[in-house]
Amino acid sequence: MPQAQPAPAPPTDQDAKLLQQLRPARLVWPVLIGLGVVGFLFWRSYKPGDLAPLADAKWPWLLATLLVLWARDAGYIYRIRYITQKQLSWRQAFDVIVIWEFASCVLPSAAGGTAAAPVILTKEGIPLGKSLAYTIVTAFLDNLYYVLMVPLVVWLAGAALYPRDLQSTFVETLRVLFVVSYVAVSAYAGLLLYALFVNPFAVRRLLVRLTSLRFLRRFRRLAYRQGQEMVNASAQLRGAGWRYWWRASLSTFFVWTARYAVIGCLIGAFAPMDTGTFLFIFARNITYKVVLLLAITPGGSGIAEGAFPTFFQSFIGTATMTSFMVLLYRIVTYYFYLLLGTLFLPRWAARVFGGQR
């Protein structure tokens, strides 16, 4: 049974900042940018008859898309409930994931919902120290999935991991970004692994010493705070058994695999699809996400739509069908969560700030 939660504390400056970041007015620009890019793609590519494949949509693949999306969200709810050691009820876990996903949509891709996660968990009655610890666990497992999957997708796709119809200079730039991002994520995952399981104090000292360099001194306070958060996370999670980490790891593998499988399911509904092609699209999706990590717009709006044809048009067919696929993909993975978050945010805020349980 979940533990009884104390009544929430009065709103703080951090709470006010979160609500300011998630206010509905912030949705206007990302929606306009995203739909504007899709509209431009249609305007540039549309030819009568290009959308004929819609009449022959393969409903099993569309059903598979819905099931994958449902399974992904159910996996997220399961994961956060068990990572927080059942301190959240199922209803609270659902609310946390809805607001977390909403935050990912309205904050820049580089920050994502992780930046808002500690505040969201704290408002559900979990002490700040534990909220930070659980957020670090999710960040560690998410990065670990990427570190382990990249060698597999490189093996699956080889040189074709990058679109062949791009200019060679852009492909080389993309390849460099991919390698740099992989090294950076691997280093970060390794740092978290060492901090959580071996010696968090050594990691804190390392961060402080690195920021003692002249050009990094302005980050020293931030480095110390993040190092201390790792120390606290290690202390909070000390004694968590193998079952805890097995469930957390397995659910992380499940949700991210489902997340990367969505595009393949959507394309399969309107274009020929076999196992090899599906796996290849899955591998190409890893490269596509590197581009989104560099996006400075909320939820990658505009960047996600603009980059999609470059990576996936060869699997779809005409440019017009690709434009439609961009719109459909963003509806089920972005606009749906914007709408869901907009509907749930007022109720959630009233509950956690108003003391309703």
Side-chain angles (χ1 to χ4, degrees), residues 130-148:
K130 287 189 175 182
S131 296
L132 290 168
Y134 298 143
T135 303
I136 288 175
V137 170
T138 62
F140 164 65
L141 293 173
D142 290 346
N143 283 281
L144 187 62
Y145 177 90
Y146 183 80
V147 170
L148 296 177

Side-chain angles (χ1 to χ4, degrees), residues 243-299:
R243 290 180 182 273
Y244 175 85
W245 291 105
W246 170 252
R247 281 179 168 174
S249 300
L250 192 62
S251 58
T252 298
F253 176 83
F254 179 83
V255 297
W256 278 100
T257 300
R259 193 174 191 125
Y260 283 131
V262 172
I263 291 180
C265 292
L266 283 175
I267 293 176
F270 303 100
M273 182 66 63
D274 55 34
T275 302
T277 303
F278 187 89
L279 292 176
F280 191 81
I281 292 172
F282 184 93
R284 181 69 67 82
N285 203 355
I286 300 286
T287 318
Y288 175 58
K289 294 302 181 184
V290 172
V291 176
L292 300 190
L293 286 175
L294 304 176
I296 60 173
T297 55

Side-chain angles (χ1 to χ4, degrees), residues 162-172 174 307 309-311:
Y162 309 95
R164 294 179 179 177
D165 54 346
L166 297 179
Q167 294 182 355
S168 59
T169 53
F170 185 80
V171 171
E172 287 304 314
L174 186 60
T310 299
F311 288 91

Side-chain angles (χ1 to χ4, degrees), residues 15-23 26:
D15 300 335
K17 182 180 179 181
L18 174 65
L19 292 177
Q20 179 74 6
Q21 290 176 326
L22 300 183
R23 70 188 189 279
R26 292 179 64 97

Side-chain angles (χ1 to χ4, degrees), residues 143-144 146-151 154 162 174-192 286 290 293-294:
N143 283 281
L144 187 62
Y146 183 80
V147 170
L148 296 177
M149 287 300 294
V150 162
V154 170
Y162 309 95
L174 186 60
R175 184 177 286 110
V176 170
L177 289 174
F178 186 69
V179 172
V180 169
S181 70
Y182 181 73
V183 171
V185 171
S186 298
Y188 183 55
L191 194 69
L192 290 177
I286 300 286
V290 172
L293 286 175
L294 304 176

Side-chain angles (χ1 to χ4, degrees), residues 78-163:
Y78 175 92
R79 184 176 78 150
I80 196 60
R81 175 165 156 78
Y82 280 91
I83 281 180
T84 58
Q85 299 172 315
K86 297 186 180 181
Q87 293 184 63
L88 298 176
S89 66
W90 288 109
R91 177 259 181 97
Q92 287 177 301
F94 173 82
D95 285 354
V96 164
I97 293 304
V98 169
I99 304 303
W100 194 325
E101 286 291 302
F102 181 63
S104 298
C105 292
V106 299
L107 297 176
S109 293
T114 303
V119 182
I120 296 171
L121 292 173
T122 300
K123 297 314 296 180
E124 290 292 352
I126 297 176
L128 179 59
K130 287 189 175 182
S131 296
L132 290 168
Y134 298 143
T135 303
I136 288 175
V137 170
T138 62
F140 164 65
L141 293 173
D142 290 346
N143 283 281
L144 187 62
Y145 177 90
Y146 183 80
V147 170
L148 296 177
M149 287 300 294
V150 162
L152 176 61
V153 300
V154 170
W155 175 74
L156 281 173
L161 190 63
Y162 309 95

Side-chain angles (χ1 to χ4, degrees), residues 185-200:
V185 171
S186 298
Y188 183 55
L191 194 69
L192 290 177
L193 178 67
Y194 190 81
L196 287 174
F197 298 106
V198 183
N199 191 341

